[in-house]
Amino acid sequence: MSNGFYEFFCPVKVVAGDAALEHIPFELGNLGSKKPLLVTDKGVRGAGLIEPVVAACEAGGVEVPLIFDDVPPDSSVEVVREIAQLYLNEQCDALIAVGGGSVIDTCKGANILVSEGGLDLSRFSGAGILKKPLKPFLVVPTTSGTGSEVTAVAVIADRAKGVKLPFSSGYLLPNAAILDPRMTLTLPPHITAATAMDAMTHAIEAYTCLARNPLSEAYAAAAVKKIAVNLPKVLEDGSDRQARLELAQASTMAGIAFSNSMVGLVHALGHALGAVCHIPHGVCMNLFLPYVLEYNLEKGTIREALGELLLPLAGAEVYAATPADSRAEKTVEVIRTLRDELYTACKLPRTLRETGKVEKAQLTRIADVALDDGSIIFNPAEASLEEVQALLERAW
Amino acid sequence: MIKKQQYAVQYAAKRAYVTTMMEVVGRALAALTREDPVARETIERLPEGFRFAMTVMPDGPGLMLRKNAQGVFVYEGAPRPGQKAELTILIKHIEHAFRMLTFQESTAQAFANDRMLVDGEIGYAVRLVRALNRLESIILPKLIAERAVKEVDDLPLTEKIQAATRVYGGVLKSLVDTGIKELSRQVRAA
């Protein structure tokens, strides 16, 4: 059951499938751009993922004279300023982000500065500060998990002040997201699994948390199905282009879903674990997902929604064979089985202990940080410190 | 035309109700942090001098609280034009504020329904929402509180009544104090 009110917004053009990269020149032309600045990181460039983008542009009559490839894993205002200065000095007229969440967020920040002027990014931190469209911006994701190509937010660290600056505005959204199977073909199994489980968590939390709505439900359920069907295929054969494309689309769909209905306690815990123990976000999502679903289920808040997800997650036969009042529990069971398969395939941790990076003494700190995370507001059950600590003990 | 006037009257009535409730909630939150150790612990991490505002767009009504050196909130009235707070919850329309303050929509659900914006550190907003929940759990009858918060704090009835009495008493005292101050000001001015 959805709420009596909702908002839904996604103006991003999705260009997906074989030879999607070859549409970039046309999209840039539509936006009046002739001199884009391509932004990426050294890992993406080292993996040879920039060549097909540049080649596709040049064959389509668009020169890409400038490539900034120095985006760090955790972006910062300094890097954003560097990119903005390069863009302005070279009189570029569009940005193309090729990479994962950090590259995309960095580009969103750079687009604020080159569009609004000045070099002080903190002036634009917060919700709804931007009041006009930014410069043309395309995103080519190289992972299938964050969904950043369709989210209206960015988080960029201001190291000098020791804070993370949040930005939220519909104007941060790119003009187009280019999903090409070539861009994720080289992702190793461990990262493929972790990022796919990040997308799975986006979809499941979008479907079960307080801001769920009919449109985000549709995207979320479709994303769950695509991940459940295609993640095992990709782990079996990493060169399966169709399955790779399905995962990329699932990630974008889950991104559309959660950016319009937010996420809950899995993300609150994941953000906290990431901050305290520096565990990658996708790993955190995979780890906490069943424990939080069980917790919310025990609190009686998500039974109907979680039961509905059994159909896209496990298919019609399993759904039909499971009594209606057991479908929510069965959904958790199927997720646990999937996690076991991922652990066998690529050692993706299922418990805090299995990460090998968490001390039991850190659990109180993780619970404490999670309680201050914004995502917790949207969790259907109200979680107290004691309950979060107990949940972490279960996940140990 | 008649319909338009009816809407205008309804909105005016809702504005009057919200204005009153903003003052009650502001004073009650201040009283709660004086009387309830759980609420005090919830705002413990806010720095001294921290100001929290909740206001209806575009120009109020609203409330402003400041955390003092004793670690409790002091009610400062409605935010003045241009006055900045470290954290402001901006409710997008008087109708949304009315729904929240008549407990038709919980604070968390109002966030989920995009009824409001947060200007400031989101972690602090989470704590303020928790303090509001605590307030509603204590001062509202359970049947109403269940609509206002995700989960009503499970207080024994006698403890709840005692806590509610202390908070309502605090609101009353604060209203009387303000009334006396205002009267003295008017006498001096006369």
Side-chain angles (χ1 to χ4, degrees):
Chain A
M1 191 181 71
S2 296
N3 300 322
F5 172 89
Y6 68 92
E7 291 182 4
F8 189 94
F9 181 68
C10 184
V12 180
K13 180 173 182 178
V14 176
V15 180
D18 284 332
L21 293 179
E22 281 72 11
H23 283 252
I24 292 176
F26 177 78
E27 294 304 326
L28 288 171
N30 270 348
L31 295 164
S33 165
K34 291 183 179 141
K35 192 178 179 185
L37 170 61
L38 193 152
V39 178
T40 188
D41 62 38
K42 295 235 182 310
V44 170
R45 195 165 198 181
L49 296 176
I50 296 305
E51 282 84 354
V53 179
V54 173
C57 285
E58 287 177 352
V62 175
E63 294 298 314
V64 185
L66 286 165
I67 298 174
F68 182 94
D69 68 357
D70 213 9
V71 177
D74 288 315
S75 194
S76 66
V77 291
E78 289 79 16
V79 180
V80 167
R81 271 203 292 267
E82 206 177 327
I83 294 167
Q85 270 175 330
L86 181 64
Y87 180 104
L88 295 169
N89 291 345
E90 299 295 330
Q91 296 181 314
C92 295
D93 56 17
L95 286 156
I96 306 176
V98 183
S102 177
V103 169
I104 298 170
D105 274 12
T106 302
C107 248
K108 287 175 179 172
N111 204 9
I112 295 174
L113 289 186
V114 300
S115 305
E116 293 283 345
L119 292 172
D120 181 9
L121 195 60
S122 65
R123 286 195 299 133
F124 305 100
S125 179
I129 307 291
L130 299 171
K131 300 294 181 199
K132 61 178 198 286
L134 307 183
K135 299 289 182 191
F137 177 32
L138 303 186
V139 171
V140 185
T142 57
T143 62
S144 299
T146 67
S148 300
E149 66 277 13
V150 283
T151 61
V153 295
V155 179
I156 296 161
D158 185 339
R159 299 219 170 85
K161 292 181 186 159
V163 293
K164 286 195 169 182
L165 299 174
F167 301 86
S168 173
S169 166
Y171 294 124
L172 292 176
L173 287 161
N175 299 90
I178 317 292
L179 311 181
D180 190 300
R182 283 171 284 181
M183 302 312 282
T184 52
L185 274 179
T186 55
L187 266 187
H190 188 270
I191 297 177
T192 300
T195 50
M197 289 307 285
D198 183 17
M200 176 75 97
T201 308
H202 289 154
I204 292 178
E205 292 214 289
Y207 200 92
T208 55
C209 286
L210 282 185
R212 63 180 299 211
N213 64 70
L215 298 183
S216 66
E217 279 171 25
Y219 280 100
V224 167
K225 183 175 178 179
K226 282 187 186 299
I227 297 164
V229 171
N230 292 289
L231 179 54
K233 284 187 192 173
V234 169
L235 292 179
E236 179 83 24
D237 175 12
S239 64
D240 184 336
R241 292 166 70 98
Q242 187 55 39
R244 287 279 191 193
L245 177 62
E246 293 293 327
L247 281 188
Q249 291 176 106
S251 168
T252 298
M253 293 163 85
I256 293 171
F258 92 84
S259 66
N260 283 283
S261 57
M262 306 309 286
V263 284
L265 185 54
V266 186
H267 273 77
L269 284 166
H271 295 153
L273 181 60
V276 176
C277 303
H278 309 291
I279 309 275
H281 182 67
V283 174
C284 300
M285 298 297 98
N286 177 67
L287 197 159
F288 286 126
L289 182 58
Y291 298 104
V292 172
L293 293 177
E294 280 167 353
Y295 166 79
N296 282 336
L297 199 51
E298 283 163 18
K299 287 254 185 163
T301 54
I302 59 166
R303 174 163 295 281
E304 187 186 344
L306 197 58
E308 288 168 4
L309 282 177
L310 184 61
L311 181 60
L313 187 66
E317 282 184 26
V318 174
Y319 183 81
T322 309
D325 60 358
S326 307
R327 283 177 186 149
E329 284 79 4
K330 184 72 178 174
T331 302
V332 180
E333 186 189 320
V334 173
I335 290 167
R336 282 190 178 278
T337 306
L338 174 61
R339 290 185 342 138
D340 291 341
E341 287 165 9
L342 298 180
Y343 185 77
T344 306
C346 52
K347 290 279 174 287
L348 197 64
R350 297 159 296 182
T351 61
L352 291 163
R353 192 200 300 262
E354 281 178 359
T355 65
K357 291 179 181 170
V358 184
E359 303 282 336
K360 209 160 184 192
Q362 292 174 301
L363 298 192
T364 306
R365 173 82 187 124
I366 295 165
D368 207 34
V369 174
L371 274 192
D372 278 350
D373 190 90
S375 305
I376 208 163
I377 291 182
F378 303 99
N379 195 65
E382 185 74 53
S384 68
L385 180 64
E386 294 72 27
E387 287 171 332
V388 172
Q389 281 173 331
L391 200 155
L392 287 169
E393 287 287 343
R394 276 203 237 173
W396 174 253
Chain B
M1 181 58 99
I2 292 169
K3 269 213 155 152
K4 194 178 169 191
Q5 282 170 348
Q6 279 176 344
Y7 277 123
V9 170
Q10 280 176 14
Y11 283 134
K14 286 174 180 176
R15 181 173 293 276
Y17 174 83
V18 170
T19 305
T20 307
M21 282 302 287
M22 283 284 187
E23 181 164 1
V24 171
V25 169
R27 290 180 190 277
L29 264 175
L32 181 77
T33 55
R34 286 196 302 271
E35 303 294 339
D36 180 41
V38 176
R40 238 180 352 264
E41 198 186 322
T42 303
I43 65 160
E44 197 176 25
R45 246 175 243 169
L46 311 183
E48 186 188 330
F50 180 94
R51 279 194 166 86
F52 162 62
M54 183 157 69
T55 185
V56 182
M57 293 169 83
D59 53 4
L63 64 87
M64 175 84 86
L65 292 157
R66 178 179 49 83
K67 190 180 164 192
N68 70 10
Q70 287 70 49
V72 301
F73 275 143
V74 177
Y75 176 65
E76 294 197 324
R80 294 186 295 280
Q83 191 182 13
K84 277 290 283 177
E86 277 70 25
L87 176 75
T88 303
I89 292 179
L90 294 148
I91 304 171
K92 290 180 182 173
H93 195 277
I94 195 75
E95 176 67 29
H96 309 329
F98 181 75
R99 282 167 182 259
M100 264 177 67
L101 294 169
T102 48
F103 315 110
Q104 296 176 62
E105 196 164 82
S106 71
T107 316
Q109 193 62 56
F111 266 112
N113 288 358
D114 281 318
R115 308 289 200 198
M116 41 202 188
L117 299 170
V118 173
D119 182 7
E121 179 73 39
I122 193 74
Y124 291 150
V126 173
R127 289 189 166 259
L128 262 304
V129 169
R130 218 167 270 140
L132 278 166
N133 288 348
R134 177 74 179 169
L135 176 67
E136 287 164 336
S137 281
I138 285 178
I139 66 169
L140 296 175
K142 195 172 180 191
L143 267 177
I144 299 175
E146 278 170 351
R147 297 171 58 171
V149 299
K150 282 193 270 186
E151 194 173 313
V152 180
D153 283 1
D154 198 15
L155 293 169
L157 187 62
T158 47
E159 198 180 315
K160 180 180 162 79
I161 291 171
Q162 283 169 356
T165 307
R166 285 198 299 271
V167 172
Y168 281 123
V171 172
L172 199 63
K173 183 175 179 304
S174 142
L175 278 167
V176 170
D177 288 349
T178 307
I180 291 170
K181 272 184 204 158
E182 180 59 18
L183 197 62
S184 315
R185 193 186 63 78
Q186 285 178 9
V187 168
R188 277 199 303 273

Coordinates of all heavy atoms in Angstrom, one line a residue, chain A residues 25 86 112 125 297 383 388 390:
Chain A
P25 N 27.8 11.9 -29.4 CA 27.9 13.1 -30.2 C 26.5 13.7 -30.5 O 26.4 14.9 -30.5 CB 28.6 12.5 -31.5 CG 29.3 11.3 -31.1 CD 28.5 10.7 -30.0
L86 N 39.8 24.2 -14.9 CA 40.2 23.7 -16.2 C 39.1 23.9 -17.3 O 39.4 24.4 -18.4 CB 40.4 22.2 -16.1 CG 40.9 21.4 -17.3 CD1 42.2 21.9 -17.8 CD2 41.0 19.9 -17.0
I112 N 28.1 22.8 -10.9 CA 27.6 23.9 -10.1 C 28.5 25.1 -10.2 O 28.1 26.2 -10.6 CB 27.5 23.6 -8.6 CG1 26.4 22.4 -8.4 CG2 27.1 24.8 -7.8 CD1 26.4 21.9 -6.9
S125 N 25.7 24.4 -0.9 CA 25.3 23.2 -0.2 C 23.9 23.4 0.4 O 23.5 24.4 0.9 CB 26.4 23.0 0.9 OG 26.0 21.9 1.7
L297 N 10.4 -6.4 9.8 CA 9.3 -7.4 9.7 C 8.8 -7.7 11.1 O 7.6 -7.7 11.3 CB 9.9 -8.7 9.0 CG 8.9 -9.6 8.5 CD1 7.9 -9.0 7.5 CD2 9.6 -10.7 7.7
A383 N 13.8 3.1 15.1 CA 14.9 2.2 15.7 C 15.5 3.0 16.9 O 16.0 4.1 16.7 CB 15.9 1.9 14.7
V388 N 19.2 -0.9 17.6 CA 20.3 -0.9 16.5 C 21.5 -1.7 17.0 O 22.1 -2.5 16.2 CB 20.7 0.5 16.2 CG1 21.9 0.5 15.2 CG2 19.5 1.2 15.5
A390 N 21.4 -4.2 19.1 CA 21.0 -5.6 19.0 C 21.1 -6.1 17.6 O 21.5 -7.3 17.3 CB 19.6 -5.8 19.6

